[in-house]
Amino acid sequence: MKILAVCSIGLWIFCCPLFARDVDLFGYFESQWMGAQIHKETIQLQSNKLRLDLKGDWDRVQFGGNINWITYHGKTRWQITDYLPANVVEQIPEILRPFYVFPFDDNSKLDNAYVKISFNKWDLTMGKQQISLGSGYAWNPTDLFNTKDLFDPTYEQPGHNAVRADVALSGRWNLTALIAPEENWDQSAKLVTTKIGLGRFDIAVTAIEKMWLFHDYSVLSESGFAGEAEKRDMVGGSIVGELLGLGVWIEGGYNDMRKSTDFTELVAGLNYTFASQTFIMFEYFYNSACPTKENDYTLNDWMRYLSAEQKTLTRHQIYMLIQHPISDLTQLGLSIIAAGDGSVALLPSLTATPFENVEVTAYANFYFGSETAAFNKNLGNGGLIRLRVYF
Amino acid sequence: MIRRINMKKWIAAIIFFTGCQLLTAQELTGPQIIKKVNDLLNPETMWCKSDMIIQTSSGQERTFVYESWSKNHGEKNLIRYLEPVRVKDESTLMLNYADDIWMYFPRTNRVRKLATHAKRQKMEGSDFSYEDMGAGDSFVKDYTSKRLKDQKIDDQSCFQIEMTRNPGRDVSYSRLVMFVHRDNFVPIQVDYYDENQPDRKIKTLKQSDIQIIDQIPTAMKIEMINDLDNSRTRMEMLEVKYNLPLKDEMFTERGMKQ
């Protein structure tokens, strides 16, 4: 064992100078402080993240990967029942309530690790990689691999293990086929998407077959909440372009479920930049699987929403964003997220680069809704400050 | 004797050609000069590596290094950032003279299509907008040019051209005043006027350190001075090459990710 370790270190030392010529090592350190007022108590959570990226490029072969180390401090066990409306908490037997905890555990993981080989007309990518689908900003009905954080929709998503082929059919026409292997072929996710540019529009058609893992949060077993995987076939697409001078997009997907009820998700949005550099965006999201009235939200609806198993709690949602650069290095923003139940979340934000390779993001969140609504006060008014240093 | 005749002939020829050139320069109209400027600024293909140094109103500086490729006389443009690491490998593709813009973000592996209005946005917070960078033949198509009285800028004789926005054209400036070097047709200064107030100057572009690269006069230093924000952005060409064989595949979504 010792010999193996010594050999490994030796090989590493020997190879490092060879790699050094063509391999980039970069990444960032991120420290984030979060505070919220929950039931008259001020809670805090701080996280520190180190992301180390490695990228190499040799002729037609590219490889890359990154490792993330994250530590959490402060309130690292969040009692979910504190955030749920009273009528939902009542559905949970008293004895089971301590199990409704969301833990923030220190972790380190290999987030991405892939090899990409480029041929004349197509690229083959194997390994853990980013899969980003759809044209929507806050929601992507055609993306069954990721769920965006509404407070920070542009934050990087985790890597997914997959084998992917990107084929360039012509200048603005390409096709992507992807398989995300699981235990067997039947359970593996399969994706085919093609995108074509027609005039001022990009049009994409996407088909995905994927197991959708969700939990029944009313049933607790020894291994945790009862999980169930159900096959989900999604056919959808997106159109993004320009209409009457406005940037416009529409993205939707019809989901054929093997056991539960089929449902449709749809996003439509528009944006515009004024001469003053002020940018505005409006996006509407529809999810037929979600209830329309707040009294109909079940424990499972809430828990699946909070654990990102489903994109929204309500059937109708609106996302509005206004951004304005107050200087070359500082931008102010305001996001307004409105749910179909009449509740609203306001998120004023500020992003700045006070030094080269240093980024500061700060936002506050305020909820305005009745106690049973999607954005109710129980969720806790608060804010976040994030400092990120790239190297 | 023979030598003296030859000398006289040479002097006569030089006077004749200089006179012709002066006459030609005198007779050039505004649109003709702008056509020459447009041809000069938009060669068939071009690659360059540049520094972009943003100086904010508070005196802070941010430096970006990027590579850019252009093809079809500026119709296709691709910009890829090399530094700082914060934006490394981010790229912007502009087709149809920046009417169609896509941006690629490597951290999320996402390509976003931007609408035409987005070309007004500042490029990485600089004083150059995407429109300034990829407008291509905008000088010819979007504006009507009129030659004004010649002027000297930094002791260099220049044609002065006033360019007024054509009705219905979607450009961010109501008027431009361009000072074009009489010898090499490099616009050494361009004054940009507000979209709605044609008398309000908002930005000034200055080009200097003209070098001949592949027989093309090239400004190695470019500076955009923002009168409104009291900020400025300098670009320094580190390397420039013209007439390279660039494949069309480079100016695609796939090309952005390479």
Side-chain angles (χ1 to χ4, degrees), chain A residues 24 55 119-120 122-123 132 134 171 195 200 202 242 271-273 275 277 328 353-357, chain B residues 60 62-63 84 86 88-89 99-100 102 107-110 115-117 120-122 195 231 252-254:
Chain A
D24 279 345
K55 194 176 173 189
F119 301 94
N120 277 345
W122 66 289
D123 302 321
S132 300
K195 186 155 92 174
R200 310 301 297 274
D202 281 354
E242 192 171 332
N271 63 18
Y272 190 73
T273 308
Q277 297 280 314
D328 296 326
T353 50
F355 306 100
E356 198 87 87
N357 284 320
Chain B
Q60 288 184 291
R62 296 285 176 274
T63 305
R86 181 167 58 85
K88 186 177 160 58
D89 288 336
D99 275 348
D100 292 303
W102 292 263
R107 288 202 185 277
T108 50
N109 194 28
R110 187 171 281 275
T116 313
H117 58 76
R120 291 173 173 156
Q121 289 176 2
K122 292 180 168 194
E195 184 174 14
S231 57
T252 61
E253 192 170 316
R254 186 178 177 225

Side-chain angles (χ1 to χ4, degrees), chain B residues 126-226:
Chain B
S126 74
D127 296 295
F128 290 90
S129 64
Y130 291 103
E131 183 178 355
D132 298 333
M133 294 295 290
D137 65 350
S138 175
F139 292 152
V140 177
K141 279 188 175 169
D142 297 328
Y143 297 91
T144 299
S145 306
K146 189 173 86 178
R147 184 171 169 184
L148 304 179
K149 193 182 173 190
D150 291 358
Q151 285 224 358
K152 278 201 166 186
I153 298 287
D154 299 333
D155 277 341
Q156 298 176 83
S157 298
C158 293
F159 300 116
Q160 184 183 184
I161 312 293
E162 184 188 51
M163 301 161 71
T164 313
R165 179 175 54 193
N166 290 331
R169 302 305 292 184
D170 185 22
V171 285
S172 303
Y173 311 107
S174 59
R175 197 164 72 92
L176 307 176
V177 177
M178 188 181 281
F179 299 90
V180 181
H181 199 292
R182 288 182 66 104
D183 296 340
N184 53 29
F185 290 94
V186 173
I188 59 171
Q189 184 172 316
V190 185
D191 298 337
Y192 296 82
Y193 289 83
D194 187 273
E195 184 174 14
N196 301 312
Q197 301 174 54
D199 294 326
R200 187 187 186 208
K201 185 156 77 77
I202 54 172
K203 291 201 291 195
T204 305
L205 179 83
K206 284 180 173 285
Q207 301 205 97
S208 58
D209 189 13
I210 314 294
Q211 294 181 19
I212 306 295
I213 297 172
D214 296 336
Q215 300 176 327
I216 297 174
T218 306
M220 302 302 281
K221 291 183 180 168
I222 304 168
E223 185 171 35
M224 184 71 93
I225 301 154
N226 191 323

Side-chain angles (χ1 to χ4, degrees), chain B residues 206-258:
Chain B
K206 284 180 173 285
Q207 301 205 97
S208 58
D209 189 13
I210 314 294
Q211 294 181 19
I212 306 295
I213 297 172
D214 296 336
Q215 300 176 327
I216 297 174
T218 306
M220 302 302 281
K221 291 183 180 168
I222 304 168
E223 185 171 35
M224 184 71 93
I225 301 154
N226 191 323
D227 296 346
L228 297 182
D229 299 344
N230 197 24
S231 57
R232 56 182 62 204
T233 301
R234 298 192 309 274
M235 279 190 190
E236 290 177 16
M237 302 289 173
L238 304 173
E239 234 181 312
V240 183
K241 286 177 185 168
Y242 293 105
N243 301 319
L244 297 166
L246 298 179
K247 288 183 178 175
D248 279 338
E249 287 82 51
M250 190 169 191
F251 300 92
T252 61
E253 192 170 316
R254 186 178 177 225
M256 293 174 82
K257 295 180 177 179
Q258 294 294 331

Side-chain angles (χ1 to χ4, degrees), chain B residues 46-53 63-68 80-83 133 220 222 234-240:
Chain B
M46 180 187 176
W47 168 84
C48 73
K49 185 177 173 184
S50 311
D51 268 353
M52 181 169 79
I53 301 139
T63 305
F64 293 81
V65 182
Y66 68 89
E67 281 184 288
S68 80
R80 182 175 296 131
Y81 291 95
L82 305 172
E83 290 176 31
M133 294 295 290
M220 302 302 281
I222 304 168
R234 298 192 309 274
M235 279 190 190
E236 290 177 16
M237 302 289 173
L238 304 173
E239 234 181 312
V240 183

Side-chain angles (χ1 to χ4, degrees), chain A residues 127-332:
Chain A
K128 280 191 90 178
Q129 55 193 285
Q130 297 268 330
I131 301 172
S132 300
L133 298 161
S135 53
Y137 179 80
W139 301 280
N140 293 108
T142 58
D143 188 351
L144 307 194
F145 293 86
N146 307 292
T147 302
K148 288 177 174 172
D149 177 1
L150 269 187
F151 287 10
D152 200 354
T154 58
Y155 199 87
E156 67 210 24
Q157 298 289 350
H160 301 274
N161 186 50
V163 180
R164 172 184 181 139
D166 292 290
V167 186
L169 298 169
S170 71
R172 284 179 65 190
W173 185 18
N174 52 52
L175 181 131
T176 297
L178 178 149
I179 295 165
E182 293 294 340
E183 279 183 27
N184 56 52
W185 175 259
D186 198 43
Q187 289 186 332
S188 300
K190 297 119 195 163
L191 174 155
V192 180
T193 180
T194 185
K195 186 155 92 174
I196 188 163
L198 291 175
R200 310 301 297 274
F201 290 88
D202 281 354
I203 300 164
V205 178
T206 306
I208 302 176
E209 181 186 286
K210 190 176 186 300
M211 297 302 287
W212 188 18
L213 178 69
F214 54 93
H215 292 86
D216 185 345
Y217 289 94
S218 58
V219 179
L220 193 65
S221 66
E222 281 181 3
S223 57
F225 292 108
E228 190 177 0
E230 181 180 351
K231 189 161 272 189
R232 178 181 181 183
D233 295 330
M234 193 282 300
V235 180
S238 69
I239 301 173
V240 54
E242 192 171 332
L243 208 61
L244 304 171
L246 299 167
V248 292
W249 61 93
I250 187 164
E251 180 188 344
Y254 177 77
N255 294 271
D256 178 31
M257 305 301 293
R258 294 294 157 87
K259 293 177 194 165
S260 48
T261 313
D262 298 351
F263 65 97
T264 304
E265 290 180 314
L266 184 78
V267 152
L270 53 90
N271 63 18
Y272 190 73
T273 308
F274 293 92
S276 61
Q277 297 280 314
T278 301
F279 172 80
I280 56 163
M281 192 193 73
F282 174 92
E283 200 168 70
Y284 165 76
F285 179 71
Y286 170 81
N287 183 348
S288 70
C290 293
T292 51
K293 292 177 185 166
E294 58 194 85
N295 291 328
D296 295 337
Y297 304 154
T298 64
L299 172 65
N300 272 333
D301 288 331
W302 269 103
M303 292 299 292
R304 288 172 188 169
Y305 167 59
L306 292 174
S307 56
E309 287 177 10
Q310 62 185 48
K311 292 185 173 78
T312 58
L313 182 62
T314 60
R315 183 166 293 191
H316 307 280
Q317 289 219 46
I318 288 169
Y319 187 99
M320 282 184 280
L321 172 67
I322 305 165
Q323 281 180 329
H324 181 76
I326 53 169
S327 79
D328 296 326
L329 308 172
T330 311
Q331 185 157 265
L332 279 182

